[in-house]
Amino acid sequence: FVKKYFKMYMSPLYAFLFYTALILGIIPLLLIWKNNTKFDKKNPIFPYVVVVFIASFYEYFGTYLLKINATNWFMVYKILAITTLQYYFYHILNKKHKALFIVFSALFIATFVYNLQHLNDKTFLDISAYLNAITTCLVITFSILWFKQLERKTIQIERKQNPNVYFIVGLLFMYGGTIILYLYANNLYLTNKELFFTSWMLNFLLNIVNRTLLIVGVWKIIKHHKNQ
């Protein structure tokens, strides 16, 4: 659908949000590259930063400029996103709650494999919504567990300085704020494409929030190492 209708509904506001989200998506990795010695690549957020960079790069050059069908990319991105997010939460939760990680992994894999045979341009929005719903539940569940862990270990001032607070709040905004949009996306697209693309601006807006907070968190890590 992107290949056919993207330019048709590219309003000035839509274009602004689209390009802003893309630009913000490449900044975290560029910050790390510029401050290479100040950021430990073993930090569990690093794989997710790389995925966000790849997503921004591909969505502009692959989907927008080269008009490559977005169906396969959406599925690849869902796999990369949940994999890097599981890795991130697994480490910041001190490798606890292994049973929950196994449950979410099994649920995602089963849903993906079952729907893969039905994947095409007409079904991928629905399939993407199912996978996104699982990732959203994962983010909310592990965020709650992490904040409970943080509550027990730190004081208020230290919490504000913790870069993971920014990472997790950004993820909660993005996934929690778009779950309804994803679940109704296909019906909306089939009934009113113009309204669909207008509503999709919410996805861009919350991506902007997430990527802005990702930048803040990365910068706090770099700043902390500079001050040491």
Side-chain angles (χ1 to χ4, degrees):
F1 73 95
V2 175
K3 180 168 65 175
K4 185 175 181 181
Y5 294 102
F6 189 82
K7 286 188 177 181
M8 188 183 301
Y9 298 112
M10 181 69 100
S11 67
L13 179 58
Y14 189 98
F16 171 77
L17 294 174
F18 172 73
Y19 288 118
T20 301
L22 293 185
I23 292 168
L24 291 176
I26 67 173
I27 290 176
L29 190 60
L30 291 179
L31 272 176
I32 293 171
W33 174 76
K34 185 178 179 182
N35 299 274
N36 188 47
T37 60
K38 307 293 190 304
F39 190 98
D40 185 0
K41 304 300 189 304
K42 293 180 181 179
N43 190 298
I45 197 62
F46 182 68
Y48 179 70
V49 170
V50 174
V51 167
V52 171
F53 178 88
I54 293 171
S56 299
F57 187 87
Y58 184 88
E59 284 164 15
Y60 180 72
F61 290 100
T63 303
Y64 179 60
L65 286 185
L66 300 178
K67 306 296 186 294
I68 298 173
N69 192 295
T71 302
N72 292 333
W73 163 245
F74 264 66
M75 295 302 104
V76 170
Y77 175 75
K78 297 299 178 186
I79 295 170
L80 292 175
I82 196 168
T83 302
T84 53
L85 288 174
Q86 289 240 59
Y87 177 85
Y88 169 67
F89 280 110
Y90 182 66
H91 283 83
I92 66 171
L93 288 169
N94 301 316
K95 301 182 180 180
K96 298 178 180 178
H97 313 290
K98 291 182 180 179
L100 275 175
F101 284 99
I102 293 171
V103 168
F104 278 116
S105 296
L107 186 59
F108 185 91
I109 292 170
T111 304
F112 181 84
V113 171
Y114 175 79
N115 286 285
L116 190 60
Q117 59 186 323
H118 308 295
L119 180 63
N120 56 53
D121 289 348
K122 295 181 180 179
T123 62
F124 94 99
L125 277 175
D126 278 335
I127 296 171
S128 179
Y130 304 149
L131 299 175
N132 195 73
I134 296 169
T135 306
T136 301
C137 291
L138 179 151
V139 167
I140 293 172
T141 300
F142 291 134
S143 294
I144 291 171
L145 290 173
W146 185 81
F147 277 116
K148 286 184 176 179
Q149 174 182 282
L150 185 70
E151 188 75 24
R152 293 192 299 267
K153 292 184 177 181
T154 61
I155 60 175
Q156 188 69 27
I157 296 175
E158 290 175 342
R159 289 175 207 150
K160 293 179 180 179
Q161 299 302 319
N162 193 321
N164 289 314
V165 171
Y166 298 92
F167 299 146
I168 291 175
V169 170
L171 290 170
L172 286 170
F173 267 108
M174 185 178 72
Y175 282 99
T178 59
I179 186 170
I180 301 299
L181 174 63
Y182 270 93
L183 290 173
Y184 284 95
N186 195 42
N187 287 334
L188 191 59
Y189 175 73
L190 292 174
T191 55
N192 191 329
K193 292 180 176 62
E194 186 172 0
L195 181 58
F196 168 84
F197 278 91
T198 301
S199 301
W200 203 251
M201 288 191 286
L202 174 64
N203 184 44
F204 290 148
L205 180 61
L206 292 174
N207 264 279
I208 288 170
V209 173
N210 177 47
R211 294 174 181 191
T212 299
L213 291 173
L214 187 62
I215 292 168
V216 173
V218 167
W219 177 247
K220 280 192 170 290
I221 293 173
I222 293 170
K223 185 178 178 182
H224 174 74
H225 282 278
K226 283 183 176 179
N227 292 336
Q228 284 185 336

